Amino acid sequence: MCRWLAYSGTPVLLETILYRPAHSLIDQSLHSKMGVETTNGDGFGVGWYGPDSDDGSPAVVREIGPAWSNRNLREIAGHVRSPLFFAHIRASTGTAVQQTNSHPFRHGRWMWMHNGAIAGFHRIRRDLALAVDPRLFPDIEGSTDSEMMFFLALTLGLEEDPPGAVARMVGLVERTGRAHGVEFPVQMTVAVTDGARLWAFRYSSEGASRSLFYSTRVDTLRALHPDMGFLRGVSDETRLIVSEPLGDLPGAWNEVPESTYGVVQPDGDEMVPFVPQAA
Amino acid sequence: MCRWLAYSGTPVLLETILYRPAHSLIDQSLHSKMGVETTNGDGFGVGWYGPDSDDGSPAVVREIGPAWSNRNLREIAGHVRSPLFFAHIRASTGTAVQQTNSHPFRHGRWMWMHNGAIAGFHRIRRDLALAVDPRLFPDIEGSTDSEMMFFLALTLGLEEDPPGAVARMVGLVERTGRAHGVEFPVQMTVAVTDGARLWAFRYSSEGASRSLFYSTRVDTLRALHPDMGFLRGVSDETRLIVSEPLGDLPGAWNEVPESTYGVVQPDGDEMVPFVPQAA
Amino acid sequence: MCRWLAYSGTPVLLETILYRPAHSLIDQSLHSKMGVETTNGDGFGVGWYGPDSDDGSPAVVREIGPAWSNRNLREIAGHVRSPLFFAHIRASTGTAVQQTNSHPFRHGRWMWMHNGAIAGFHRIRRDLALAVDPRLFPDIEGSTDSEMMFFLALTLGLEEDPPGAVARMVGLVERTGRAHGVEFPVQMTVAVTDGARLWAFRYSSEGASRSLFYSTRVDTLRALHPDMGFLRGVSDETRLIVSEPLGDLPGAWNEVPESTYGVVQPDGDEMVPFVPQAA
Amino acid sequence: MCRWLAYSGTPVLLETILYRPAHSLIDQSLHSKMGVETTNGDGFGVGWYGPDSDDGSPAVVREIGPAWSNRNLREIAGHVRSPLFFAHIRASTGTAVQQTNSHPFRHGRWMWMHNGAIAGFHRIRRDLALAVDPRLFPDIEGSTDSEMMFFLALTLGLEEDPPGAVARMVGLVERTGRAHGVEFPVQMTVAVTDGARLWAFRYSSEGASRSLFYSTRVDTLRALHPDMGFLRGVSDETRLIVSEPLGDLPGAWNEVPESTYGVVQPDGDEMVPFVPQAA
């Protein structure tokens, strides 16, 4: 299991979000409160969109050690500003600790990160691999269930219809798992983005999903906490989605309901029930 | 492309072979003379059999950086003695530099290492993966052609008939590659062992294989070089197989012919023509 | 702060001690119960004496990542047998996570490891460095207080009189610290060995030292727990010294008293009060 | 020995300079033509100034493996734009391969990088360390001669008078070395910057210094090569200083003379003889 955060809004130095909050993601790498594991030290990654890419694709920096002691992450976080970025800290559920198993995963302009697991993945990995579009298959670099979910979602139309593709991916994994005797195949919170919009999913086959929270609109927070400087510097629509709250600010965090996904987008956020589909 | 060596004979400290020769494997990591690349700095590994394993399986230590600067390799080499060991230094042909892509690969008591490449691997990776025994498939951890060749050979009977399984594996890769328009799919030198016997293969589809050498019998060498202390301490049957000679000792090294494999075994070594087989 | 263990006795596979106990050192790397930090993931090391060294010096393998996910440590532990070894997991108190800051430290036949800290080390580092024998000074490779303590102890006669040299080292650090306004300069548990005898120290300037335990004599334990197989295979004198107990076996663990050191040696172990000395 | 480059001018993506030239620094990490070593694979670093730092200090990302296979370096280089940056690839002359030994080194707004060596450094390291300002001493993190030179230069006034401080540093190292019987203590090319100006030094005690080149003014190059797109996008004053040329463009590269330093600055570059001074 893992912890992650997704930021969308006014461009900020990454460190504003990654290091400065009381219970920042870096703090969670050592002292997660809501995760299955207290420690998330099996690799990390950060991916950001910025003005300086040639083709609009995000930069993705991934490492194999713990985030809490990584000096390069702190350097990048202190000198890179972005309006949309992902950060992820990993606690391996068995697969190798290696760069290609750290999140976020990238395909063209798209980024994907995941907390959770496919139950019985070892047993159904081959069947899932066969379901990946043969043209995409050679690009699978790592050995995680998370990357496999990404490639299945890409196969099933992620770039055209993200919520539909994720629903079909979950349906496929559930059907495949159950065919192998796994009762509850999927446990997930997932974030995915194309650099413009951001989708976040909370779902598990047994209806007991890992925690997921989104931040209150900044104008509401600003009214509640007029003394907080940070809130004055960012737009009303600035939004954070996180595995667990970054601090105890009253009114700041709202739990994403079970079996739900949210969309963060320029023309108004949405929260929608999530139902797996037959692929 | 890569460099490797396999040792079988009187137990020696690994450093005797890995560090002390004039053109040792460690020297080859910086200054290979016969390799496609001068530098082999994309990971390394060493695997050894010893008296201290519970189940007869070898220890396999693999890393992602260059061998020449790795202090732990030197520590291990200076304190571990073994009668049968593999060492490998990697020059990636494109796949990720990660521990699961470093050689040797292990399955139970078996070890495998490879120099060369499957041409067009990116295109035929999926077809080859489908040919792997579904029970073995989930144990593939890395993304190299070398590991895929090992799993195909295991699928095709490596544990019962190593030369036959390797011949069938090569046949399968050639057929698959040619079906995708690859003229010369296989380029390889391979070493494989079960801890008792050791097989080494030299083959390429175009008949222009990477270099491979085996050492002259120690009793012959001893007669040629009565002043060499090392030769007095090891048995007549002690044997090295290497990608390139470890030094210039006259009479010490013999090239393995094209399309040939050798067996190092207690009851007499052999050299046999190698012909790919229809799988 | 850190966790460590020292083993002396019947040669065993390292994994017997490092991995198999219920609350093994590897478990402590994620879930320390008595340490200042729950997580000890800032590097680790293992040093062992064996029959296969040319000069009697130990092998020392040190890494920068967490022990819990390190495959090479598990490989070594599963294939190396030793009668005397150290293992250490690090939680940095601020200095860089790098191989030269991981314990144990080695000088010739000697090994040293430490849990604790020199308070105000940043301020007094230069004065302590000046007190190191100029002939030894260039061999300092890292930046930790722990390595500095080792080099000061070497300067003050460690190789001739270990308890006296450690007492003088502590006296020197306390005097230097207090000259810079540090009230309680030393917090330490230290293990040191020459490959034959093993000394373990528990001391802190304020009399509130980190925990330290030694195992009960095996003959006593065997009488208490006649069903435990492991105890039948090792000699009566086999001894473990640990930062925290490796499990809950009743009667197995005894706390080292405050301001005390113990000696594990062939002709009878000893426990002696420890008093810092003017250097 | 090492290779480095310093860029000052129109903001560019780092990859424009680090990866795209025919004989780029990344290519030099495998195939240096003018270096003492062909391979520079013992760590690397990149430091850049940008608009997004809070305090004007540069970001410094340093690693321990080879640059040629490092994916994070490529990610950063493809997404970070800077008007002034350093890049360095290391070939260790003996000290540990660790992050704190990779260049560039940073102190506040200042960066420093070095190619060369202090001869006999092991012997004179202590005397040099004693000459470092005691307030700066605790900030020395690594064990290289290069970092020591930086701290000596800082001690001797680098922030007020860079050329004078470097001249005094060299004078001090030469005097100290000669007192220990070292005939030619200093071999160096050094780059240092405060984020506004950039100084580059070429000097060695024996008058046989490592190579150093600076690029021709862009307006001259543009006249020579009207077809080169890159030259149209950058200002006339844009300048590169490199250990060895990045390609064969006729007229592009000029050797820095022996015992000389250059200044790249807004109000006109300069080239000045360099003479060590008594400290």
Side-chain angles (χ1 to χ4, degrees):
Chain A
M1 305 300 166
C2 313
R3 304 280 84 184
W4 57 254
L5 72 74
Y7 176 92
S8 171
T10 301
V12 292
L13 277 181
L14 305 191
E15 71 174 12
T16 312
I17 306 300
L18 292 187
Y19 286 88
R20 294 212 186 138
H23 187 48
S24 72
L25 197 73
I26 304 306
D27 184 59
Q28 293 176 28
S29 70
L30 273 171
H31 305 295
S32 164
K33 294 171 183 169
M34 297 181 145
V36 173
E37 288 282 353
T38 300
T39 309
N40 294 277
D42 297 329
F44 66 86
V46 61
W48 72 87
Y49 297 87
D52 289 331
S53 155
D54 279 353
D55 59 0
S57 71
V60 177
V61 168
R62 302 188 289 175
E63 270 297 347
I64 60 175
W68 69 76
S69 61
N70 194 281
R71 293 181 173 202
N72 290 338
L73 178 60
R74 185 174 276 278
E75 291 293 314
I76 291 167
H79 292 82
V80 166
R81 197 175 292 273
S82 171
L84 177 48
F85 59 93
F86 280 10
H88 186 279
I89 52 177
R90 184 170 181 238
S92 169
T93 52
T95 46
V97 177
Q98 59 191 21
Q99 197 175 19
T100 54
N101 284 350
S102 290
H103 309 220
F105 302 97
R106 176 180 55 194
H107 182 79
R109 298 176 59 98
W110 291 77
M111 285 203 295
W112 173 280
M113 61 183 172
H114 169 233
N115 172 34
I118 295 178
F121 180 57
H122 200 71
R123 263 180 291 161
I124 66 172
R125 187 181 157 199
R126 185 174 183 273
D127 282 4
L128 297 180
L130 295 198
V132 171
D133 183 332
R135 287 162 303 177
L136 294 172
F137 183 90
D139 294 333
I140 299 178
E141 285 202 302
S143 54
T144 60
D145 48 4
S146 306
E147 188 190 25
M148 186 70 80
M149 291 163 81
F150 182 31
F151 274 83
L152 289 170
L154 285 165
T155 297
L156 298 168
L158 183 71
E159 290 162 291
E160 291 74 43
D161 169 20
V166 173
R168 288 186 287 275
M169 178 275 289
V170 170
L172 173 66
V173 175
E174 290 191 328
R175 202 180 59 231
T176 308
R178 282 166 188 156
H180 285 77
V182 179
E183 189 178 2
F184 300 124
V186 174
Q187 173 62 263
M188 75 176 206
T189 66
V190 159
V192 60
T193 181
D194 62 358
R197 288 185 296 172
L198 161 62
W199 295 261
F201 298 82
R202 184 180 184 214
Y203 176 77
S204 60
S205 305
E206 66 184 307
S209 303
R210 302 291 169 243
S211 58
L212 192 64
F213 295 83
Y214 62 96
S215 61
T216 300
R217 270 183 67 93
V218 168
D219 42 6
T220 310
L221 273 182
R222 212 183 279 124
L224 281 170
H225 302 281
D227 51 327
M228 289 201 60
F230 172 70
L231 296 172
R232 284 196 295 275
V234 295
S235 71
D236 290 355
E237 295 76 19
T238 291
R239 190 75 88 186
L240 268 164
I241 305 179
V242 297
S243 291
E244 60 185 78
L246 307 185
D248 301 324
L249 194 65
W253 301 102
N254 314 280
E255 191 165 21
V256 176
E258 269 290 349
S259 301
T260 299
Y261 73 90
V263 197
V264 179
Q265 52 193 353
D267 49 342
D269 299 354
E270 275 184 277
M271 194 75 77
V272 187
F274 177 80
V275 184
Q277 294 174 27
Chain B
M1 304 300 164
C2 313
R3 305 280 84 183
W4 57 255
L5 73 75
Y7 176 92
S8 171
T10 301
V12 291
L13 278 181
L14 305 191
E15 70 174 14
T16 312
I17 306 301
L18 293 187
Y19 287 89
R20 295 212 187 137
H23 187 48
S24 71
L25 198 72
I26 303 306
D27 184 59
Q28 293 176 28
S29 70
L30 273 171
H31 305 293
S32 166
K33 294 171 186 171
M34 298 180 142
V36 172
E37 287 282 353
T38 299
T39 308
N40 294 276
D42 298 328
F44 66 87
V46 60
W48 73 88
Y49 297 87
D52 289 333
S53 155
D54 279 353
D55 59 2
S57 72
V60 177
V61 167
R62 300 188 290 175
E63 270 297 348
I64 58 176
W68 68 76
S69 60
N70 194 280
R71 293 181 174 201
N72 290 337
L73 178 61
R74 186 174 274 279
E75 291 292 314
I76 291 167
H79 292 83
V80 165
R81 198 174 291 274
S82 170
L84 178 47
F85 59 91
F86 278 11
H88 187 279
I89 52 177
R90 184 171 180 237
S92 169
T93 51
T95 47
V97 177
Q98 58 191 21
Q99 197 175 20
T100 55
N101 283 352
S102 290
H103 309 220
F105 302 97
R106 177 180 56 195
H107 182 78
R109 298 176 58 97
W110 291 77
M111 286 203 295
W112 173 280
M113 60 185 172
H114 169 233
N115 171 34
I118 294 179
F121 180 57
H122 200 72
R123 264 181 288 160
I124 66 172
R125 187 179 158 201
R126 184 173 184 273
D127 282 4
L128 296 180
L130 295 196
V132 171
D133 183 332
R135 287 162 303 177
L136 294 172
F137 183 90
D139 294 333
I140 298 178
E141 286 201 303
S143 54
T144 59
D145 48 3
S146 306
E147 187 189 26
M148 186 70 81
M149 291 164 81
F150 183 30
F151 274 82
L152 288 170
L154 285 164
T155 297
L156 298 168
L158 183 70
E159 291 162 290
E160 291 74 43
D161 168 21
V166 173
R168 286 186 289 275
M169 178 274 288
V170 170
L172 173 65
V173 175
E174 290 192 330
R175 203 181 58 230
T176 308
R178 282 165 188 158
H180 285 77
V182 180
E183 187 178 4
F184 300 123
V186 174
Q187 173 62 262
M188 75 177 204
T189 66
V190 159
V192 59
T193 180
D194 62 357
R197 287 186 295 171
L198 161 62
W199 296 261
F201 299 82
R202 184 180 184 213
Y203 177 78
S204 59
S205 305
E206 64 184 307
S209 303
R210 301 290 167 244
S211 59
L212 191 64
F213 296 82
Y214 63 96
S215 60
T216 300
R217 272 183 64 93
V218 168
D219 40 7
T220 310
L221 274 182
R222 212 183 278 124
L224 281 170
H225 303 281
D227 51 325
M228 289 202 62
F230 172 70
L231 296 172
R232 284 195 296 275
V234 296
S235 72
D236 291 354
E237 295 77 19
T238 292
R239 190 75 87 186
L240 269 163
I241 304 178
V242 298
S243 292
E244 61 185 75
L246 307 185
D248 301 325
L249 194 63
W253 301 103
N254 314 281
E255 191 165 20
V256 176
E258 269 291 348
S259 301
T260 301
Y261 73 91
V263 196
V264 179
Q265 52 193 355
D267 49 344
D269 299 354
E270 277 184 275
M271 194 76 77
V272 188
F274 176 80
V275 183
Q277 293 175 26
Chain C
M1 305 300 166
C2 313
R3 305 279 84 183
W4 57 255
L5 72 75
Y7 177 92
S8 170
T10 301
V12 291
L13 277 182
L14 305 191
E15 70 175 13
T16 312
I17 307 301
L18 293 187
Y19 286 88
R20 296 214 185 137
H23 187 50
S24 72
L25 197 72
I26 303 306
D27 184 60
Q28 293 176 29
S29 70
L30 272 171
H31 305 294
S32 166
K33 295 171 183 171
M34 298 180 143
V36 173
E37 288 282 353
T38 300
T39 309
N40 294 276
D42 298 329
F44 66 87
V46 60
W48 73 89
Y49 298 87
D52 288 332
S53 154
D54 279 352
D55 59 0
S57 71
V60 177
V61 168
R62 301 188 289 176
E63 270 298 347
I64 58 176
W68 69 74
S69 60
N70 195 280
R71 294 181 172 200
N72 290 337
L73 179 60
R74 186 174 274 277
E75 291 293 313
I76 291 167
H79 292 83
V80 166
R81 197 175 292 274
S82 170
L84 177 49
F85 60 91
F86 280 10
H88 186 278
I89 52 177
R90 185 172 180 235
S92 168
T93 53
T95 46
V97 176
Q98 59 191 22
Q99 196 176 22
T100 56
N101 283 352
S102 290
H103 308 220
F105 302 98
R106 176 179 57 194
H107 182 79
R109 298 177 57 98
W110 292 77
M111 286 203 295
W112 173 280
M113 61 183 171
H114 169 234
N115 171 33
I118 295 179
F121 179 58
H122 200 72
R123 263 180 291 161
I124 67 173
R125 186 179 159 200
R126 184 173 184 273
D127 282 5
L128 296 180
L130 296 196
V132 170
D133 184 331
R135 288 162 302 178
L136 294 172
F137 182 91
D139 294 333
I140 299 178
E141 285 202 302
S143 54
T144 60
D145 48 4
S146 306
E147 187 190 26
M148 186 71 81
M149 292 164 80
F150 183 31
F151 274 83
L152 289 170
L154 285 165
T155 298
L156 298 168
L158 183 71
E159 289 161 292
E160 291 75 44
D161 169 20
V166 174
R168 287 186 288 275
M169 177 274 286
V170 170
L172 172 66
V173 175
E174 290 192 328
R175 201 178 61 229
T176 307
R178 282 166 187 154
H180 285 76
V182 180
E183 189 177 3
F184 300 124
V186 174
Q187 173 62 262
M188 74 177 206
T189 67
V190 160
V192 59
T193 180
D194 63 356
R197 288 185 295 173
L198 161 62
W199 295 261
F201 299 82
R202 184 180 185 214
Y203 176 78
S204 60
S205 304
E206 65 183 311
S209 302
R210 301 290 168 243
S211 58
L212 192 64
F213 295 82
Y214 63 97
S215 61
T216 301
R217 271 183 65 92
V218 168
D219 41 6
T220 309
L221 273 182
R222 211 183 278 125
L224 281 170
H225 303 279
D227 51 327
M228 289 201 61
F230 172 69
L231 295 171
R232 283 197 296 275
V234 296
S235 73
D236 292 354
E237 296 77 19
T238 291
R239 190 75 90 186
L240 269 164
I241 306 179
V242 298
S243 291
E244 61 185 77
L246 307 185
D248 300 325
L249 194 65
W253 301 103
N254 314 281
E255 190 165 22
V256 176
E258 270 289 350
S259 301
T260 300
Y261 74 90
V263 196
V264 178
Q265 53 193 353
D267 50 342
D269 299 354
E270 276 184 276
M271 195 73 80
V272 187
F274 177 80
V275 185
Q277 293 175 28
Chain D
M1 304 301 165
C2 314
R3 304 279 84 183
W4 58 255
L5 72 76
Y7 177 92
S8 170
T10 300
V12 291
L13 277 183
L14 306 191
E15 69 175 14
T16 312
I17 306 302
L18 292 187
Y19 287 88
R20 295 212 186 140
H23 187 48
S24 72
L25 198 71
I26 304 305
D27 183 60
Q28 293 176 29
S29 70
L30 273 172
H31 305 294
S32 165
K33 295 171 183 170
M34 297 179 143
V36 174
E37 288 282 354
T38 299
T39 309
N40 294 277
D42 298 329
F44 66 86
V46 61
W48 73 89
Y49 297 86
D52 289 331
S53 155
D54 279 353
D55 59 1
S57 71
V60 178
V61 168
R62 301 187 291 175
E63 270 298 347
I64 58 177
W68 69 76
S69 60
N70 194 280
R71 294 181 172 201
N72 290 337
L73 178 60
R74 185 173 276 278
E75 291 292 315
I76 291 167
H79 292 83
V80 166
R81 198 175 290 275
S82 169
L84 177 47
F85 59 91
F86 279 11
H88 187 278
I89 53 177
R90 185 172 179 235
S92 169
T93 52
T95 47
V97 176
Q98 58 191 20
Q99 197 176 20
T100 56
N101 284 352
S102 290
H103 308 219
F105 302 97
R106 176 179 56 194
H107 182 78
R109 298 177 59 97
W110 291 76
M111 284 202 297
W112 173 280
M113 61 184 170
H114 169 232
N115 171 33
I118 295 179
F121 180 57
H122 200 72
R123 264 179 290 160
I124 67 172
R125 186 179 159 202
R126 184 173 184 272
D127 282 4
L128 297 180
L130 295 195
V132 171
D133 184 331
R135 287 163 302 179
L136 294 172
F137 182 90
D139 294 333
I140 298 177
E141 285 202 304
S143 54
T144 59
D145 47 3
S146 306
E147 188 189 25
M148 185 71 81
M149 291 164 81
F150 183 31
F151 274 82
L152 289 170
L154 285 165
T155 298
L156 298 168
L158 183 71
E159 290 162 291
E160 290 76 42
D161 169 20
V166 173
R168 288 186 288 276
M169 177 274 287
V170 170
L172 172 66
V173 174
E174 290 192 328
R175 201 178 62 231
T176 308
R178 283 166 186 155
H180 285 77
V182 180
E183 189 177 2
F184 300 123
V186 174
Q187 172 62 262
M188 74 178 205
T189 66
V190 159
V192 59
T193 180
D194 62 357
R197 287 185 297 172
L198 161 62
W199 296 262
F201 300 82
R202 184 179 185 214
Y203 176 78
S204 60
S205 304
E206 64 184 310
S209 302
R210 300 290 168 244
S211 58
L212 191 64
F213 296 83
Y214 64 96
S215 61
T216 300
R217 271 183 65 94
V218 168
D219 40 9
T220 310
L221 274 182
R222 213 183 277 125
L224 281 170
H225 302 281
D227 52 326
M228 289 201 62
F230 172 70
L231 295 171
R232 285 195 295 274
V234 296
S235 71
D236 291 354
E237 296 76 19
T238 292
R239 189 75 88 186
L240 269 164
I241 305 179
V242 298
S243 292
E244 62 186 74
L246 308 185
D248 301 324
L249 194 64
W253 301 102
N254 313 282
E255 191 165 22
V256 176
E258 270 289 349
S259 302
T260 301
Y261 74 90
V263 196
V264 178
Q265 53 192 355
D267 49 342
D269 299 354
E270 277 184 276
M271 194 73 78
V272 188
F274 177 79
V275 184
Q277 293 174 28

